[in-house]
Amino acid sequence: MHIAITTQVLSTLIRVNNERISMYDRAIRSMNDAEVAPLKLFRCMIMESEQYREQLEQTLKALGAEPDREDLAGLWGGLLDTFLTQRHLSLCEMEKAAVQRAYEYALSQQLDNGIARILYEQHEELKISYHMVKGCTLQQPFLH
């Protein structure tokens, strides 16, 4: 296992989860209370990313590295600021695809089996979340 690659992969996924939290928080703040299903779903997505971030941070610390507190200013933020109107779920679908690609890239690296297992489990759980977002999108015809 190459420690530098592993810490870089873990740090990147921590930042991805931080940005995911920020994106869903922005979406929630821009919605009205009548949009109950998306609000609940987005809150669940925030809790999910907080859990993943914590697990990734603990793994990084176990390797003797400290989590990078640098914020990913605007990975999706600029896009969201421009388009957050009635397209919340469609944008979240795009975000989910980007997060999936980040995890797929991380899993393509040569990592310790234990770390790879953590990332694989998070990746699989994110696939389930993605299908939940997709299902919610299909129920909201005004979002297409």
Side-chain angles (χ1 to χ4, degrees):
M1 169 178 68
H2 195 269
I3 297 293
I5 291 172
T6 302
T7 58
Q8 180 182 12
V9 165
L10 293 173
S11 293
T12 298
L13 292 177
I14 289 168
R15 288 190 301 261
V16 164
N17 278 288
N18 283 338
E19 189 62 30
R20 188 171 178 245
I21 292 165
S22 176
M23 192 267 319
Y24 281 115
D25 184 56
R26 274 198 201 117
I28 288 170
R29 284 186 278 125
S30 72
M31 299 171 80
N32 64 54
D33 291 336
E35 299 174 275
V36 176
L39 284 171
K40 285 182 179 180
L41 180 62
F42 293 172
R43 286 185 183 115
C44 287
M45 298 300 129
I46 288 172
M47 290 189 313
E48 179 181 65
S49 273
E50 289 172 341
Q51 174 188 351
Y52 295 160
R53 178 187 61 199
E54 178 65 28
Q55 189 176 28
L56 294 167
E57 286 177 345
Q58 288 175 0
T59 303
L60 194 59
K61 286 178 183 178
L63 294 173
E66 283 298 314
D68 183 4
R69 295 294 177 188
E70 176 185 326
D71 191 359
L72 274 185
L75 179 60
W76 294 289
L79 182 76
L80 291 170
D81 290 340
T82 305
F83 296 109
L84 265 182
T85 57
Q86 291 187 334
R87 298 198 170 270
H88 307 294
L89 294 172
S90 295
L91 289 172
C92 291
E93 281 187 73
M94 291 188 312
E95 174 271 334
K96 293 301 275 187
V99 171
Q100 289 292 326
R101 284 191 302 275
Y103 271 86
E104 288 164 4
Y105 173 78
L107 286 166
S108 74
Q109 304 303 303
Q110 291 186 342
L111 303 171
D112 172 80
N113 287 340
I115 293 170
R117 188 183 77 251
I118 290 169
L119 300 185
Y120 176 79
E121 289 170 359
Q122 288 184 359
H123 184 237
E124 290 301 307
E125 290 172 9
L126 283 164
K127 286 180 187 177
I128 294 167
S129 296
Y130 175 72
H131 290 297
M132 290 170 48
V133 170
K134 183 99 173 144
C136 195
T137 301
L138 294 174
Q139 295 172 12
Q140 305 287 334
F142 65 91
L143 295 174
H144 297 286

